[in-house]
Amino acid sequence: ESENWEYLDRMQAGVQYWGGYIGFYGKQGGYLVLTSGVAMNHQCLRIYLTNDGGATWSEIGNPYSDHISVLTGAGFASDQVGFISYRYYEDAGPDIWWTRDGGQSWARLELEIPEEYQSAGNLFTPQSPVFDGEDGIYPIIMLSSATQAETTIFMCTHDGGLTWRFEK
């Protein structure tokens, strides 16, 4: 159970943690993203980082005040570069918000989805990115509007998440 959380546009006490994402980058660095339940396509989150292998955690800022939706993944490449994935909602997606300054500010990550996947009505749901040093892979589930079939496409980075491109 939480302390006070901004939830559904107001501060509330005792909001329950319903889930989250956890992972590590490097030998000592890691992240923990705690999430509330979902209500009216809103899901609150709190993000914590560690630099001592999980002995202590510090909360950082998150994109909740700029963007509200349902989380589908999270991952950090370092203590500065991190990603929060959301289910498509306001557009077809992929809806990814990222920080390059350790959570002080967040912006939408613009990805170039290959033209062959950009059919009208296709919907994109990003998952959790995975990193191995500077290399990373971002799985994105595409729901085809024509066939209702799901396909996973992969965006890749070789610079710690600063740039992404499609790789087969």
Side-chain angles (χ1 to χ4, degrees), residues 13 16 29 49 52 60 71 104 110 116 124 135 139 143-144 146 151:
Q16 295 286 318
L49 297 180
D52 58 14
I60 67 167
L71 274 73
Q104 293 179 37
E110 300 298 330
E116 65 193 90
F124 299 90
D135 296 326
L143 176 62
S144 168
T151 303

Side-chain angles (χ1 to χ4, degrees), residues 10-11 30 45 47 51 56 60-61 81 87 91 99 104 107 114 126 166 168:
R10 66 177 190 219
M11 291 304 289
L45 68 149
I47 305 171
N51 62 9
T56 60
I60 67 167
V81 179
R87 185 179 184 275
D91 59 30
T99 182
Q104 293 179 37
F166 175 74
K168 286 190 177 190

Side-chain angles (χ1 to χ4, degrees), residues 7-8 36-44 64 68-70 89:
Y7 186 64
L8 299 177
S36 69
V38 177
M40 298 171 32
N41 204 52
H42 290 210
Q43 187 173 31
C44 295
Y64 186 78
I68 301 170
S69 192
V70 178
Y89 176 62

Side-chain angles (χ1 to χ4, degrees), residues 94-156:
D95 193 356
I96 301 168
W97 284 66
W98 73 309
T99 182
R100 292 181 288 181
D101 57 16
Q104 293 179 37
S105 64
W106 294 83
R108 185 158 182 180
L109 178 66
E110 300 298 330
L111 295 177
E112 289 186 37
I113 300 296
E115 196 170 312
E116 65 193 90
Y117 298 111
Q118 292 183 13
S119 297
N122 286 352
L123 302 171
F124 299 90
T125 301
Q127 304 300 293
S128 293
V130 178
F131 295 91
D132 182 10
E134 293 289 300
D135 296 326
I137 190 165
Y138 218 130
I140 300 172
I141 297 172
M142 181 195 77
L143 176 62
S144 168
S145 61
T147 65
Q148 297 301 302
E150 289 185 349
T151 303
T152 302
I153 61 173
F154 299 94
M155 303 300 288
C156 297

